[in-house]
Amino acid sequence: MNTEQNIEVITRLVLEAMESSKADKPLMKVPVGISARHIHLTQEDVERLFGKGYQLTKKNELMGGQFASNEQCTIVGLKLRAIENVRILGPVRSKSQVEISATDARTLGIKAPTRQSGDIAGSAPIALVGPKGAIYLQEGCIVAARHIHMPPTEAKTVGLKDGDMVCVRMGDERGALLEQVKIRVDESFTLEMHIDTDEANACQVKQGDLALIV
């Protein structure tokens, strides 16, 4: 290898190292929100489960105009495997949807795909049982994909936009680098990363811990 080739190799290695360092540089600290299994319902399905004319009642406010309701029901998978007392979130939606963890999916005996909330086409079937009735969803059960809620001002600060994918480092002794974390930007959002209970347990993080976008 001649001198010119040596210089070329060294230059390439230096540039690669610089890019790697840049990629690992923390961009922003984000509070962690741990999302447990929950349900979104249409008004029609609310009434089928709780009775004609029934309205969800508010337990506490969530971001983006959503709220945790006082109402809960049982979700039932294949071979009649069930999980009781699953919280319903409001307000009502145009399509009913159940969000669970991968561990829940195994418990229920179903193959729920990992999707962003609202993307339920071709997802797993599931049954719901309430105090006044039951419904069967041909599709609608997913494992919620991890994501970060972000207001436009915060997104602009770090050069991110709605739909971007980032890597996030979280946890200490059992920490991990989570890839394919989707950025979701809206005026109604506050800054928070949403992961499910499986991911939280694996990384040994709790509600309110800080994660790093890198």
Side-chain angles (χ1 to χ4, degrees):
M1 185 178 294
N2 59 38
T3 302
E4 184 176 335
Q5 289 175 319
N6 279 332
I7 293 174
E8 182 180 344
V9 170
I10 291 170
T11 301
R12 177 171 55 80
L13 291 173
V14 170
L15 289 174
E16 288 176 355
M18 290 173 65
E19 284 300 313
S20 177
S21 176
K22 181 180 179 181
D24 289 337
K25 182 180 179 181
L27 294 179
M28 176 183 284
K29 292 182 179 180
V30 182
V32 174
I34 301 169
S35 182
R37 64 181 79 99
H38 60 273
I39 301 166
H40 300 281
L41 293 174
T42 64
Q43 180 57 35
E44 179 183 4
D45 285 343
V46 169
E47 295 186 27
R48 291 169 68 186
L49 292 169
F50 294 93
K52 187 174 181 179
Y54 194 91
Q55 300 290 319
L56 296 176
T57 58
K58 191 178 296 184
K59 179 179 174 67
N60 56 272
E61 295 279 355
L62 303 173
M63 75 168 68
Q66 295 191 91
F67 62 87
S69 76
N70 292 297
E71 288 72 29
Q72 299 174 316
C73 64
T74 298
I75 56 176
V76 184
L78 301 179
K79 300 180 181 178
L80 298 181
R81 297 175 184 174
I83 298 176
E84 298 180 332
N85 302 319
V86 181
R87 183 76 56 189
I88 298 169
L89 302 189
V92 293
R93 291 191 174 188
S94 60
K95 291 184 179 181
S96 292
Q97 170 182 305
V98 179
E99 298 182 31
I100 60 176
S101 70
T103 297
D104 291 337
R106 286 192 290 273
T107 298
L108 294 167
I110 61 176
K111 295 180 179 180
T114 300
R115 301 273 186 83
Q116 293 292 332
S117 180
D119 181 10
I120 61 171
S123 57
I126 195 163
L128 290 79
V129 181
K132 299 292 185 179
I135 58 176
Y136 178 76
L137 302 178
Q138 294 284 352
E139 59 183 19
C141 186
I142 63 171
V143 174
R146 49 187 176 244
H147 56 274
I148 296 174
H149 289 283
M150 192 175 287
T153 50
E154 298 279 4
K156 186 177 180 181
T157 299
V158 289
L160 294 172
K161 63 182 184 301
D162 188 64
D164 281 350
M165 292 290 189
V166 297
C167 293
V168 177
R169 185 179 295 120
M170 62 184 354
D172 294 319
E173 290 93 347
R174 298 197 64 182
L177 183 67
L178 304 184
E179 299 181 338
Q180 296 296 304
V181 183
K182 190 170 188 177
I183 300 296
R184 298 171 60 179
V185 180
D186 191 89
E187 290 282 0
S188 64
F189 292 160
T190 54
L191 183 65
E192 189 171 66
M193 178 178 180
H194 283 180
I195 58 175
D196 67 19
T197 50
D198 283 354
E199 292 165 322
N201 290 335
C203 297
Q204 290 188 344
V205 297
K206 61 184 184 299
Q207 185 83 13
D209 283 356
L210 294 178
L212 289 175
I213 299 177
V214 297

